[in-house]
Amino acid sequence: MSLDKLAERRRIQRRISKKLRMEFLRHLWWKFPKFQNDLKWKKPKGKDNKMRLKLKGYPPVVQVGYRTPNDIRGLHPSGLTPVIISSIKDLENLDPSKHIVYISSTVGLKKRFELIREAQRRGFRIANA
């Protein structure tokens, strides 16, 4: 890999590691036990809801400004683009310097070993080997 490509990948890795990771949870999830085992986002809609009014001391509300920057969105922390494969044929159009490989969960053990062997032979990194 050339020096400028390596520098670019390091820059992307640094941006990914500094990325703001927010956890958005519903209003009053800490107060009611029925919410604590199903922690998912629900938009606050009440007239006097403190979270909807974005008052100090309340959790953040989902907004456009929290979205991941376009150049690092969807990338693996290594800076590579993740690709799911389920056969050796899927590796043909991929570049080891740009892609990281995930083996599909529907692949059996025998074929999984074949895919791992072939991907390593071609120089791919495997995220779930």
Side-chain angles (χ1 to χ4, degrees):
M1 189 182 305
S2 66
L3 206 57
D4 56 331
K5 283 185 181 179
L6 189 65
E8 176 67 18
R9 199 155 128 220
R10 293 276 186 249
R11 185 188 69 78
I12 289 173
Q13 284 176 329
R14 208 168 20 258
R15 289 208 55 200
I16 290 171
S17 68
K18 290 181 176 184
K19 182 171 86 167
L20 181 64
R21 288 176 180 83
M22 300 294 294
E23 188 177 18
F24 296 105
L25 301 171
R26 70 185 297 161
H27 180 59
L28 296 178
W29 66 268
W30 61 88
K31 192 170 180 182
F32 301 108
K34 69 177 184 177
F35 296 155
Q36 289 177 353
N37 55 359
D38 188 22
L39 294 176
K40 60 184 175 185
W41 170 251
K42 296 280 189 183
K43 185 176 180 177
K45 294 180 180 174
K47 184 170 95 173
D48 297 321
N49 190 307
K50 313 290 189 293
M51 193 168 154
R52 183 188 64 80
L53 296 170
K54 300 177 185 70
L55 294 184
K56 181 178 167 183
Y58 285 87
V61 178
V62 173
Q63 291 177 339
V64 172
Y66 288 114
R67 189 160 186 187
T68 304
N70 203 4
D71 58 340
I72 62 171
R73 188 177 307 145
L75 294 181
H76 187 266
S78 65
L80 301 172
T81 306
V83 178
I84 299 173
I85 62 165
S86 56
S87 69
I88 294 174
K89 199 169 107 178
D90 294 339
L91 290 172
E92 290 174 1
N93 300 326
L94 302 178
D95 180 17
S97 64
K98 294 180 183 174
H99 298 99
I100 187 165
V101 171
Y102 282 90
I103 298 172
S104 174
S105 63
T106 59
V107 174
L109 188 64
K110 183 177 170 185
K111 191 172 176 186
R112 178 176 287 268
F113 285 138
E114 291 175 17
L115 282 171
I116 290 171
R117 195 176 314 114
E118 182 64 24
Q120 286 176 342
R121 187 184 69 75
R122 294 186 185 194
F124 285 98
R125 290 178 59 184
I126 306 167
N128 64 342

